[in-house]
Amino acid sequence: SVCRPFDLKRSGMVYGEGAAKLGLESRDHAERRGVRPLARIVGVACRCEASAETQQPTGDAIARAIQAALASAGLESYHIGHVNAHGISTLEDARVEAQAIRRTLGDVPVTAPKSFFGNLGHGSGTVELAMSLVSLAQGVVPPTLNYETPDAECPVNVVTDARPVESRTFIKLNHATTGQAAAVVVTAL
């Protein structure tokens, strides 16, 4: 119950251990091997904003990465079924990320897999992406653990119980406190 992404009582990042590996290949290559693809990456983008020890990022890079990834995919915000958030659970980072998601995607469902296993460092993005893919294969959006008290400064629609899938297209977000942000638009097949 220590890692509480977007919760009013969040108290900071929790470290975890883990890794995942995903194979990226063309559909033709997968079919030649007799493998059914799990998903398709339909858009990607990364952006950054100025940051310093004395200045927390504003979330501008996150918002612009989301917008650019949607443009790269040729999609609009209403096509997105959920956001797989960075969800690191620190006071400032949660606020900045939540506000950027709300600004660009509205009331889209948001899940934060770090609530299950903590921050896996460089392994987090891949493990979290895999979590969304496995959940979507089961017909649900993965939940966020430990979210109990909404924070008005984190105005996102946090998924607390597995919900039926409304769209198989989602965004995976990752960003850093030093101003870099990446967004990947994925469609589960």
Side-chain angles (χ1 to χ4, degrees):
S1 65
V2 177
C3 188
R4 309 176 72 77
F6 307 113
D7 189 272
L8 180 66
K9 297 177 184 172
R10 65 191 178 277
S11 59
M13 180 175 54
V14 175
Y15 287 102
E17 292 183 23
K21 180 178 169 182
L22 299 172
L24 297 177
E25 61 185 327
S26 71
R27 179 184 281 273
D28 290 339
H29 188 264
E31 289 172 352
R32 282 194 308 271
R33 292 187 319 109
V35 176
R36 183 178 94 42
L38 296 176
R40 201 174 112 215
I41 295 174
V42 295
V44 296
C46 59
R47 297 292 184 266
C48 55
E49 65 178 284
S51 178
E53 277 187 39
T54 58
Q55 177 186 345
Q56 171 79 18
T58 65
D60 179 60
I62 299 168
R64 288 185 298 114
I66 291 169
Q67 291 166 336
L70 286 171
S72 170
L75 298 175
E76 298 292 330
S77 61
Y78 63 83
H79 291 111
I80 303 304
H82 77 275
V83 172
N84 183 312
H86 187 63
I88 205 160
S89 196
T90 62
L91 294 174
E92 282 302 309
D93 193 76
R95 181 186 60 75
V96 165
E97 181 177 23
Q99 291 176 9
I101 291 169
R102 172 61 74 169
R103 206 166 47 245
T104 55
L105 298 169
D107 196 40
V108 66
V110 174
T111 187
K114 282 182 182 71
S115 64
F116 283 87
F117 40 73
N119 185 1
L120 308 178
H122 296 297
S124 288
T126 308
V127 171
E128 292 164 1
L129 179 62
M131 186 172 179
S132 276
L133 293 175
V134 169
S135 294
L136 288 176
Q138 296 173 9
V140 297
V141 175
T144 301
L145 295 179
N146 310 319
Y147 182 82
E148 297 170 357
T149 309
D151 180 351
E153 293 203 4
C154 294
V156 287
N157 179 5
V158 178
V159 177
T160 56
D161 293 308
R163 305 184 178 173
V165 171
E166 291 185 21
S167 168
R168 298 185 66 75
T169 300
F170 66 96
I171 291 180
K172 173 64 195 120
L173 287 178
N174 282 100
H175 61 274
T177 57
T178 50
Q180 301 86 356
V184 179
V185 182
V186 179
T187 297
L189 302 174

